Amino acid sequence: MITFEEALKISLNQAVVSGIETISFEEVAGRVLAENINSDMDMPPFDKSAMDGYACRRQDLALNLEVIEVIRAGIPPLMTVAAGKCAQIMTGAIIPEGADTVIKVEDCEMIGVGSDKQSTIRFTGEKTAPNICYRGEDIKTGELVLEAGILLDTRHVPILATVGKVFIDVYRFPSIGILSTGTELVEPGEIPGPSQIRNTNAYQMIAQLGKIGIDSDYYGIATDDEDITRKMISDALNNNDILILSGGISMGEFDFVPAVLQSLGLNVAFKQVAIQPGKPTLFATGNGKFVFGLPGNPVSSYFILELLVKPFIYKCMNHDWAPPVLRLKAARQMTRKKSNRLSWMPVRIDREGLVHEVEYHGSAHIFSLSAADGIIPVPIGKTTIEEGEFVDVRPL
Ligand code: AMP
Ligand code: MG
């Protein structure tokens, strides 16, 4: 049996980049950028006021200041601010010639309206920042703002809008098919008969992929019949780059998936991985297609999709994906009996940031996942995590 790290390496080495397409900048969240993006302008493009207030000369702060004009955002100033003068200015407006400081409206007192309708103000504060955002302080013309290969999210949309980049080259999502195996399965809208259960894996996998933006194709339930399984796998592979199926790969009499894949000309790279849950995990390739066989038990298939399949999907988009990890302390000692496999355990994080085990009866216990905030790895050879020991929580 190979280690999880070996399994990950074997599969990632086979990944093929899916190609590039051009999409609108509003739709980029979840996509991997396939081009460098440079700014077409300085940002801000002019010295701009950060406050509503009065633009003046710092050396005049002690004087009464005559207001010479009102400068609105979007309309350039007409006058130069000279000694004893100021211009009323709005946030986002251009700083007028001569001024080096904007005093906040809250720090000013109106001391009179002149005969020509010009008013006079006085600074009442003790000190003031310049309150100016200087031209190019955020970004300069030509500067790289987004680098090819990054995973885009909603925070990148305003950057693309700022630099006027409305059509973007991104890597295509690989096309993914989903298949469940098992004669005992019925679809969730049906009432299971005796010895039947509802198909949870397919919908869990569809939802996991949907969360990263992938719209997968669902092919239904293959009963544990070799010919039916072959027909359904072969249909799915004709239409998709990657097939993710669940069940039918362990040691049972009716676990036909590995033999069927071989009969279709695919090479099974592995069908067991030293991970818990998730030992019956398969990866096969051939004819430019990839198959992940996930364990039948839903917690296992959830974990394996997160840990093994997702990095592969991102690799097909030319991105080395690594989810964030929180290094937090265990609230109590946690133990396990066997340590011959890498184990992942569902955990909860309390308000102090301490990590607790959640009730977990094993790989069919989907309710434990919904009670968890994250999962933690326990490496091969380790049976005990001590109270207060740091653990790496991968948030769910
Ligand atoms: P298998 O790997 O096919 O032997 O399945 C292992 C366990 O997972 C069995 O108890 C199956 O009934 C269960 N199982 C398999 N596929 C699914 C599924 N799609 N949804 C829920 N449970 C499943
Ligand atoms: Mg089965």
Side-chain angles (χ1 to χ4, degrees):
M1 195 164 23
I2 60 171
T3 64
F4 174 76
E5 291 72 23
E6 286 164 336
L8 187 64
K9 202 167 155 197
I10 290 169
S11 53
L12 289 179
N13 276 341
Q14 302 277 335
V16 175
V17 176
S18 309
I20 290 171
E21 63 184 329
T22 305
I23 62 168
S24 168
F25 78 107
E26 298 142 284
E27 294 160 8
V28 296
R31 308 302 294 263
V32 177
L33 184 62
E35 59 175 326
N36 285 333
I37 311 264
N38 299 83
S39 181
D40 70 339
M41 62 194 288
D42 288 342
M43 214 43 215
F46 46 81
D47 292 347
K48 102 180 163 182
S49 180
M51 296 288 171
D52 293 323
Y54 295 88
C56 62
R57 308 185 326 160
R58 178 164 288 275
Q59 74 231 60
D60 293 352
L61 284 181
L63 308 179
N64 290 347
L65 300 172
E66 187 191 322
V67 183
I68 55 168
E69 73 171 320
V70 179
I71 309 169
R72 296 152 58 179
I75 302 190
L78 300 171
M79 318 268 277
T80 296
V81 173
K85 312 281 181 187
C86 70
Q88 193 177 357
I89 192 164
M90 309 301 148
T91 304
I94 299 183
I95 302 294
E97 288 285 322
D100 59 9
T101 299
V102 174
I103 50 182
K104 287 190 268 185
V105 73
E106 301 92 308
D107 289 343
C108 293
E109 182 183 53
M110 189 67 71
I111 53 173
V113 177
S115 52
D116 56 353
K117 299 241 163 55
Q118 298 285 36
S119 42
T120 306
I121 58 115
R122 191 169 66 85
F123 177 56
T124 54
E126 277 170 20
K127 55 180 185 192
T128 176
N131 295 320
I132 296 172
C133 305
Y134 295 99
R135 175 177 181 156
E137 77 176 15
D138 296 342
I139 213 84
K140 302 231 167 12
T141 305
E143 205 173 312
L144 182 67
V145 288
L146 298 174
E147 194 169 12
I150 63 164
L151 180 58
L152 297 164
D153 64 44
T154 52
R155 292 168 302 164
H156 300 110
V157 174
I159 295 176
L160 294 166
T162 289
V163 303
K165 181 78 178 152
V166 292
F167 293 106
I168 323 288
D169 283 354
V170 295
Y171 290 98
R172 279 182 202 284
F173 283 131
S175 99
I176 304 184
I178 303 279
L179 182 67
S180 295
T181 74
T183 302
E184 74 278 28
L185 301 177
V186 296
E187 295 295 13
E190 294 167 33
I191 308 289
S195 87
Q196 292 185 315
I197 56 167
R198 292 193 175 99
N199 176 12
T200 54
N201 292 353
Y203 300 93
Q204 175 178 275
M205 299 191 293
I206 291 166
Q208 284 175 283
L209 295 175
K211 199 171 170 196
I212 60 171
I214 297 182
D215 201 7
S216 51
D217 298 325
Y218 177 48
Y219 291 89
I221 299 165
T223 49
D224 295 319
D225 172 287
E226 195 164 348
D227 292 333
I228 291 173
T229 304
R230 182 179 299 106
K231 168 89 177 64
M232 291 182 79
I233 289 181
S234 141
D235 282 351
L237 284 176
N238 282 337
N239 296 318
N240 299 98
D241 307 327
I242 302 174
L243 171 63
I244 311 175
L245 52 81
S246 76
I249 48 176
S250 31
M251 309 304 278
E253 191 86 9
F254 301 98
D255 290 332
F256 294 121
V257 169
V260 162
L261 291 171
Q262 270 152 356
S263 76
L264 289 169
L266 282 94
N267 169 49
V268 177
F270 54 82
K271 56 180 184 178
Q272 279 200 335
V273 180
I275 183 168
Q276 185 190 30
K279 182 165 131 188
T281 289
L282 171 149
F283 177 65
T285 57
N287 315 320
K289 309 283 179 170
F290 306 94
V291 179
F292 285 93
L294 271 41
N297 275 314
V299 177
S300 315
S301 76
Y302 184 93
F303 279 37
I304 298 298
L305 195 143
E306 291 295 319
L307 300 169
L308 188 71
V309 184
K310 260 200 204 171
F312 184 87
I313 291 171
Y314 281 114
K315 191 85 192 178
C316 293
M317 297 190 281
N318 222 1
H319 178 71
D320 291 324
W321 182 67
V325 162
L326 305 173
R327 177 151 280 209
L328 299 171
K329 281 183 180 171
R332 290 194 190 81
Q333 191 189 64
M334 306 181 200
T335 55
R336 60 173 179 155
K337 289 191 195 88
K338 286 200 203 156
S339 66
N340 59 334
R341 289 189 265 161
L342 163 69
S343 160
W344 284 85
M345 288 167 41
V347 294
R348 183 174 62 76
I349 303 170
D350 71 17
R351 293 188 170 200
E352 272 76 56
L354 296 173
V355 177
H356 300 257
E357 276 180 276
V358 298
E359 191 181 333
Y360 176 47
H361 309 155
S363 56
H365 188 204
I366 40 170
F367 303 97
S368 69
L369 270 190
S370 72
D373 297 310
I375 55 179
I376 59 167
V378 189
I380 288 176
K382 189 170 173 74
T383 51
T384 308
I385 294 169
E386 299 297 345
E387 179 179 335
E389 188 177 332
F390 278 106
V391 290
D392 287 338
V393 183
R394 181 168 156 165
L396 290 179

